[in-house]
Amino acid sequence: MTQEQIRVCGTVQGVGFRPTVYRLAKACGLKGDVCNDGEGVLIRASGTNESIDEFVQRLQEECPPLAKIEAIIRTGYEGNLSELNDFAIAASISSKVRTKIAPDAATCPQCKTETLDPFSRWYRYPFTNCTHCGPRLSIIRAIPYDRRNTSMANFPMCPECEKEYHNVENRRFHAQPVACYKCGPSAWLERADGKPVTASMFSMMDDVDAVCTLLQRGEIVAIKGIGGIHLACDATNETAVQKLRQRKQRYHKPFALMARDIEIIEKSCTISAKERELLQSPAAPIVLLPRKDTIENAIAVAVAPGQNTLGFMLPYTPLHHLILKRMERPIVLTSGNLSDEPQCIDNDEARSKLGKIADYFLLHNRDIVNRIDDSVVRAIGDKLQTIRRARGYAPSTITLPDGFKAAPHILAMGSELKNTFCLVRDGEAILSQHLGDLENAAAFNAYRDTLNLYLNLFQHKPVAIATDQHPEYLSTKLGHELAAANNLKLYQIQHHHAHIAACMAENHLPLDTQPVLGIALDGLGYGDDGTIWGGEFLLADYRSYKRLGTFKPVAMIGGEQAIYQPWRNTYAHLTAAFNWQDLHQKYRDLDLLTFFTQKPLNLLNQMVEKRINSPLASSCGRLFDAVAAAIGICREECSYEGQAAIEMEALIDINSLNDTPAYPFEIGILNSIPYLEPRPMWQALLEDLQQQVTQSAIATKFHQGLANAIADMVDHLCDRYLVNQVVLSGGVWQNCLLLDLITRRLQVKKLTVLTHSIVPPNDGGLSLGQAAIAAALFN
């Protein structure tokens, strides 16, 4: 007989892994035991060589659906297993933490069936779960993932649940959140005005079912879910949606939607095979889908003004399935917060902050330990693009490329907007869930709390910290404080270098890879020369970069105001390209020029001339804003960053692309660096405005022209620097049309084009790039 110790690393706790080990070990005739510890799962097995080999093979083939095996390490076992007569599941062992924490997972088919089955003891129970589904990250306080270390510790199991919990043949074996009506959390309905809720008010089976009736009546309901509290209303009720917008103070940004099933979504959107797969996956993210323009599409206009996509998700908890069981139309399900604040997770916090938004509350008594927003993704062809990485995906680890295995523990602090942070250990990266914009004080406090939780959960003790170069980012300042207080190495990483490194790491380019041509297009990032960068062509590897090209630097008049008042960018671009008097003389009849006569142009000119709150910015994002405002999209103001560019992209008729000419750009030289000069584009655009060419046609010409200009710059640089790999990163690459136009143009030139998939191209992926660069530089 042979004795082996088998170490299994990966996402192998809280996913039904030990029961699978037990079942397979019994089937293969092995003796021994299995337990959880800080590194994953540890198996001691006694049997023939053939039976152990069969066991290991089947373990890989029959891995539970939520588990992810990253390594199986087999060594001889010197102890004595002969006294064991069978195979057993042993108690967890506390040790150094190297294991993974599984993301929260959508309700599995078996649990959904039981929740809706009148003959099941889980009938209409809102918290039904098993090892294949349910809360994970949202309820965990410490490793190992045992009930005592979660917010389920307050709910002792009843005899029936305990029996299933200890029955190795049951799929609830060691499912830590297992519960039922007798012993688990409960949900209840409250009125926001504090008055009692009585059964006579509704025709309802229970409080959860009553929510459906309330939504059908046009009420706004705050619903406590798995990772936070949402605000819900009937998505087909224009009055209800407008009421929600006014109360929440979120005036234009699209709302997320939830529908009972795919068939209801198909009334409003077209769904590809890839999009269907994403909707029905255990992650159950919000999926951006092309909107149908048909009479059957009854979605309120206020749900997503100015958009040609809708963000849909399917129910991912029993609570949602029960609410929507009678709902034949979609609902809005948006974060329960005031605009820009973090999502509420606590009952009292929700009553305080959402009491003037919601009419009713559906709350429960299971604590949410870790706030987790809904993830947002889209399908570009057959490839995933992640826009917000949160519930369902975080904190799944990202394996770093070859060369990073020996990297020490590193903490990367991320950016100011769309923040995530990143922990590096043992050749892998743990990217936090989306944490929001840190300029909001509540969001920054939540960022600090989540950072502390991760450091404790993973027993992570960094020896180096990586931050953005921008001295005023709150994440940068906190990183400096932590480094100084703990005598740690500090790496200040240039914003766009981090963007490119994040995409390189995601695409598994090894540490010693040859330099690539990185094209980083976004709103803004702190540049080496003291100006704002945002349209950069970099020759980069993990350790270094060189700025090879850029977009034309143009003043951001009013600084941050230019982000939310796009007309400022239009005026800055026009005055940078033309003599204003000549321009006004030639185009004085244009609505655009009339608009500018109402602005304090002398003051604006002085601000630019004297560099008063008007930094130069080579920002591609601001160029998009400038063009959008010129043609009348969000000209006066926008309520969220990128709104103008998104609405401009939505105007384009894809079917007319090949028949629409492109606006011209030039390549100029500034300080020995080539840059894209948009002056010819502006000349042609103004002529089109004078000829009353449609917004859609102008937007199409701009996209075509910009794609051509970028491709020309790539041609120029790749020939000169002998580069054959191009890496695309930055928030502008969320523009599907521009991404597709560029990718096709570069692939025709036989260049390898690398883009983001599981990591956002926006600042949500920045911390991964910071971490990879710091790991490469560490010595």
Side-chain angles (χ1 to χ4, degrees), residues 314-378:
L314 290 172
Y316 56 83
T317 71
L319 187 76
H320 297 128
H321 284 290
L322 293 169
I323 290 170
L324 295 178
K325 188 174 185 296
R326 295 189 291 110
M327 197 74 178
E328 301 289 339
R329 48 191 185 266
I331 64 169
V332 167
L333 198 70
T334 187
S335 295
N337 58 358
L338 287 170
S339 189
D340 297 328
E341 287 193 1
Q343 187 177 19
C344 292
I345 59 174
D346 177 77
N347 292 350
D348 288 338
E349 177 193 28
R351 294 183 186 107
S352 171
K353 291 189 174 182
L354 306 181
K356 293 183 179 179
I357 303 177
D359 302 307
Y360 290 83
F361 291 89
L362 182 69
L363 302 174
H364 61 72
N365 57 346
R366 183 177 68 200
D367 289 344
I368 298 171
V369 177
N370 207 355
R371 178 185 288 104
I372 311 172
D373 287 290
D374 295 313
S375 293
V376 181
V377 303
R378 69 176 359 138

Side-chain angles (χ1 to χ4, degrees), residues 101-405:
I101 299 172
D104 296 65
T107 309
C108 70
Q110 296 98 318
C111 284
K112 178 184 174 184
T113 298
E114 289 170 341
T115 304
L116 301 178
D117 179 4
F119 299 101
S120 163
R121 75 182 186 92
W122 292 278
Y123 179 53
R124 298 198 62 78
Y125 185 55
F127 306 98
T128 308
N129 68 87
C130 69
T131 53
H132 299 164
C133 66
R136 299 291 191 276
L137 176 63
S138 61
I139 62 170
I140 193 167
R141 290 192 169 100
I143 288 291
Y145 176 67
D146 287 334
R147 194 180 184 96
R148 70 179 187 275
N149 291 328
T150 74
S151 57
M152 287 299 295
N154 298 328
F155 301 97
M157 286 180 277
C158 67
E160 291 97 329
C161 285
E162 191 162 18
K163 182 179 178 181
E164 293 195 326
Y165 180 86
H166 290 293
N167 180 3
V168 73
E169 303 297 336
N170 192 289
R171 78 175 195 281
R172 292 191 170 87
F173 178 76
H174 281 224
Q176 304 308 329
V178 67
C180 70
Y181 274 116
K182 292 181 181 179
C183 61
S186 57
W188 64 88
L189 191 63
E190 296 180 6
R191 288 174 57 124
D193 60 12
K195 295 178 181 178
V197 175
T198 61
S200 60
M201 296 169 61
F202 314 105
S203 170
M204 63 183 190
M205 300 180 69
D206 50 37
D207 281 16
V208 175
D209 184 55
V211 172
C212 180
T213 301
L214 291 169
L215 295 173
Q216 290 169 339
R217 290 183 181 180
E219 306 283 10
I220 296 172
V221 184
I223 301 171
K224 186 177 182 181
I226 200 168
I229 295 172
H230 290 89
L231 292 163
C233 70
D234 180 354
T236 66
N237 185 326
E238 189 76 42
T239 301
V241 178
Q242 288 284 11
K243 181 170 65 173
L244 177 56
R245 284 207 176 276
Q246 292 301 318
R247 292 181 180 179
K248 186 176 161 68
Q249 299 172 32
R250 178 170 165 168
Y251 301 110
H252 301 101
K253 200 171 186 179
F255 282 141
L257 302 170
M258 179 179 278
R260 184 185 64 200
D261 50 44
I262 290 278
E263 288 69 32
I264 290 177
I265 299 177
E266 284 181 318
K267 293 179 181 179
S268 303
C269 299
T270 57
I271 307 175
S272 69
K274 180 64 176 180
E275 289 161 346
R276 185 180 298 265
E277 173 193 325
L278 291 168
L279 284 166
Q280 296 176 327
S281 69
I286 298 168
V287 182
L288 299 185
L289 302 169
R291 184 173 187 162
K292 286 181 178 177
D293 186 18
T294 64
I295 201 165
E296 192 179 21
N297 185 354
I299 301 296
V301 173
V303 164
Q307 310 287 307
N308 60 2
T309 59
L310 293 171
F312 264 106
M313 56 185 156
L314 290 172
Y316 56 83
T317 71
L319 187 76
H320 297 128
H321 284 290
L322 293 169
I323 290 170
L324 295 178
K325 188 174 185 296
R326 295 189 291 110
M327 197 74 178
E328 301 289 339
R329 48 191 185 266
I331 64 169
V332 167
L333 198 70
T334 187
S335 295
N337 58 358
L338 287 170
S339 189
D340 297 328
E341 287 193 1
Q343 187 177 19
C344 292
I345 59 174
D346 177 77
N347 292 350
D348 288 338
E349 177 193 28
R351 294 183 186 107
S352 171
K353 291 189 174 182
L354 306 181
K356 293 183 179 179
I357 303 177
D359 302 307
Y360 290 83
F361 291 89
L362 182 69
L363 302 174
H364 61 72
N365 57 346
R366 183 177 68 200
D367 289 344
I368 298 171
V369 177
N370 207 355
R371 178 185 288 104
I372 311 172
D373 287 290
D374 295 313
S375 293
V376 181
V377 303
R378 69 176 359 138
I380 301 180
D382 290 329
K383 187 175 180 181
L384 165 74
Q385 185 188 69
T386 302
I387 295 169
R388 185 169 74 196
R389 186 177 183 271
R391 179 189 50 76
Y393 295 109
S396 293
T397 56
I398 299 166
T399 302
L400 292 173
D402 290 346
F404 285 94
K405 184 66 177 177

Side-chain angles (χ1 to χ4, degrees), residues 603-621:
L603 175 62
L604 298 177
N605 293 336
Q606 288 180 35
M607 291 175 65
V608 174
E609 290 168 11
K610 298 179 180 179
R611 293 284 188 267
I612 301 172
N613 197 25
S614 298
L616 288 176
S618 57
S619 170
C620 183

